[in-house]
Amino acid sequence: METTTTRTRAGGRLGGRGFLLIRGTGVLLAVLALGHFAVTHLVNDVAQTDASFIARRWSSALWVVWDGLLLVAALAHVGAAAVAVVRDYWTDPAGQRRMLAGLRGTLLVLLVIGAVTLFRAAG
């Protein structure tokens, strides 16, 4: 019987912190996204969901924080997962560094756009 020690792709090189980040943000996203969906589509009439509904909702600090957490959790979740994919499947080290730098830049731009949108609308 032959025994080999090979690392599977599922194990990857993400590490414990990345694994926990993906799982933790996944649970947080489930709560935040389902709450967002329930308030927007079940509690309120969908026909009444317009720009004034969003303006009223974002006048409350609770909803600004809620949507801000939703934004940060989503970007952290997708960022950690994308880093895991790049590290597992990108073989060229220089290309991997470029891809990770581009990924970080893209996530930062999306975070800034989302934060500016939230705080300008709330303020």
Side-chain angles (χ1 to χ4, degrees):
M1 203 186 299
E2 222 177 289
T3 59
T4 59
T5 56
T6 58
R7 187 184 71 213
T8 63
R9 292 252 187 232
R13 288 182 274 172
L14 187 59
R17 289 180 295 172
F19 178 84
L20 290 176
L21 180 64
I22 291 172
R23 291 336 183 251
T25 55
V27 170
L28 186 61
L29 280 170
V31 171
L32 292 171
L34 289 174
H36 175 86
F37 180 81
V39 168
T40 305
H41 300 287
L42 301 176
V43 174
N44 295 295
D45 183 14
V46 177
Q48 301 299 320
T49 305
D50 57 4
S52 63
F53 170 79
I54 302 299
R56 282 191 315 273
R57 193 166 108 172
W58 280 355
S59 66
S60 166
L62 169 72
W63 288 111
V64 172
V65 170
W66 187 283
D67 288 345
L69 281 173
L70 188 59
L71 172 70
V72 170
L75 291 176
H77 186 78
V78 75
V83 165
V85 169
V86 168
R87 286 186 176 158
D88 280 350
Y89 294 104
W90 204 277
T91 57
D92 175 37
Q96 188 181 80
R97 283 190 302 275
R98 283 191 306 272
M99 183 65 74
L100 291 173
L103 175 64
R104 286 183 196 105
T106 302
L107 291 172
L108 181 63
V109 166
L110 291 172
L111 179 64
V112 168
I113 290 170
V116 166
T117 301
L118 262 175
F119 294 117
R120 286 193 69 174

